[in-house]
Amino acid sequence: MKNTDSLTAAQRLATGIPHRVIRLKGPFSALLCRVHEIGIVTILSGNESAIQESVGIYDHMAYQNNAESDATQASSKIAHQPLFYQKWKYGFAVSDKDDDGNIRRHLQFFDGNGNGIYKILLHASSNVDAYRAIARDFAAVEQAPVLDIFRTKPITANEGIDRIDIDALRADWARINDTEDFFARQTEFDSLRLHKLRLAGKAFAHQVANDSVHILLQKMADLGSTVMALVGNAGIVQAYQGHVKQLRSSDAWLNILSQDRRLRLREDHIDTVWVAKKPTTDGIVTSLELFNRQGISIARFFSKPEPGRPEPREWRDSIMRLLPVFGG
């Protein structure tokens, strides 16, 4: 028996099969198309350092015959969220009892390394029969409580940097892009993003203090400004645009509250913060980008302008007042 401390999140969950956990099979795109039948749910998406949380009826996009292809993307009305199904490896339907003896049910999905991608939690008012039907219809043939996962080597600080053509990178960065096309491409997961920021040159990117995200978002809340947050992992990048209503700190977590969504951010996981500037047909687009110690993106923040208009001045001015880190 393996020491559970060495197991991935997916492996630990699989130990509950068959008593409280059902392993699910794909196509997961077809499964998600049926989640609306459950009714009101809470959707959690992100990574171990940033989690987007929303409540609503999940309304998934209809799919064509190629729904499981590498190029497939889908969107939910709860948020714009490209899904990259080639990274989705494991799925489970889970029924757990809480401390009060109530049964808590959810659907959870993982990548090939056993890392969490997506989680859908039922409410007391949710349709349990619909949940059970989904779990029954997508139950995998194999229901063993053991998953053999061979994790890929963790990304090192300088991994992949030799694949970047610096001249081509800077030429592409300086090129003026269509604004809508630029924002559409921001939902692509890029493991080399931090390297590119460091190599882009001071005209396009510079490092700022780690508390910059707290300072900037508090300023946006005070001004009632709109912010776009991009949070994700290799299997899904979720984009949400709305007004920041309030910031609350709880232990290491910063809770960023909007009207129908909460973004939870682990401030102690932030290793570097960068400001990036990109020329577009509507002017410069400025972003604030957060990275962990492994150089992986935690979250990115924009103020997406209306089509044909430049980004709000209060956003750019607030970012440019953030304390720079010299040598970054």
Side-chain angles (χ1 to χ4, degrees), residues 27-38 58-64 67 74 85 120 134 138:
F28 293 132
S29 58
L31 186 157
L32 290 179
C33 280
R34 291 184 51 185
V35 171
H36 70 93
E37 299 169 11
I38 297 174
Y58 193 91
D59 186 7
H60 205 68
M61 208 176 189
Y63 295 93
Q64 305 300 320
Y85 286 115
I120 300 172
I134 291 171
F138 287 89

Side-chain angles (χ1 to χ4, degrees), residues 175-246:
R175 188 176 299 116
I176 296 175
N177 292 110
D178 175 80
T179 307
E180 289 302 309
D181 178 65
F182 166 78
F183 277 104
R185 290 192 291 116
Q186 298 317 297
T187 52
E188 299 170 359
F189 184 79
D190 185 358
S191 62
L192 300 177
R193 179 66 180 175
L194 180 56
H195 294 322
K196 293 177 180 178
L197 289 169
R198 285 174 169 156
L199 296 172
K202 297 295 184 182
F204 299 119
H206 65 273
Q207 190 178 346
V208 292
N210 282 7
D211 62 354
S212 294
V213 64
H214 199 148
I215 294 170
L216 178 65
L217 294 181
Q218 185 61 63
K219 182 67 173 178
M220 294 302 102
D222 294 342
L223 294 173
S225 299
T226 299
V227 175
M228 173 183 279
L230 276 74
V231 174
N233 51 60
I236 177 172
V237 179
Q238 190 176 69
Y240 173 76
Q241 185 174 1
H243 294 283
V244 178
K245 298 293 185 183
Q246 190 176 20

Side-chain angles (χ1 to χ4, degrees), residues 1-52:
M1 182 72 180
K2 278 188 177 182
N3 182 341
T4 55
D5 291 340
S6 67
L7 298 180
T8 67
Q11 287 173 315
R12 286 194 296 271
L13 199 56
T15 61
I17 297 173
H19 305 294
R20 61 183 185 84
V21 178
I22 298 171
R23 183 174 173 181
L24 304 172
K25 64 182 179 182
F28 293 132
S29 58
L31 186 157
L32 290 179
C33 280
R34 291 184 51 185
V35 171
H36 70 93
E37 299 169 11
I38 297 174
I40 298 292
V41 293
T42 294
I43 300 169
L44 301 175
S45 176
N47 50 67
E48 64 180 15
S49 305
I51 301 170
Q52 295 244 43

Side-chain angles (χ1 to χ4, degrees), residues 8 25 42 57 65 73 81 87 93 109 140 162 199 223 238 240 276 282 285 287 322:
T8 67
K25 64 182 179 182
T42 294
I57 296 176
N65 292 332
Q73 296 186 359
Q81 48 187 24
K87 300 293 185 181
F109 304 91
D162 56 334
L199 296 172
L223 294 173
Q238 190 176 69
Y240 173 76
D282 296 325
V285 171
S287 62
L322 296 172

Side-chain angles (χ1 to χ4, degrees), residues 139-159:
V141 174
E142 179 63 51
Q143 291 292 331
V146 177
L147 290 181
D148 291 324
I149 294 179
F150 301 96
R151 307 192 78 173
T152 57
K153 185 177 67 173
I155 295 175
T156 59
N158 292 314
E159 184 173 341

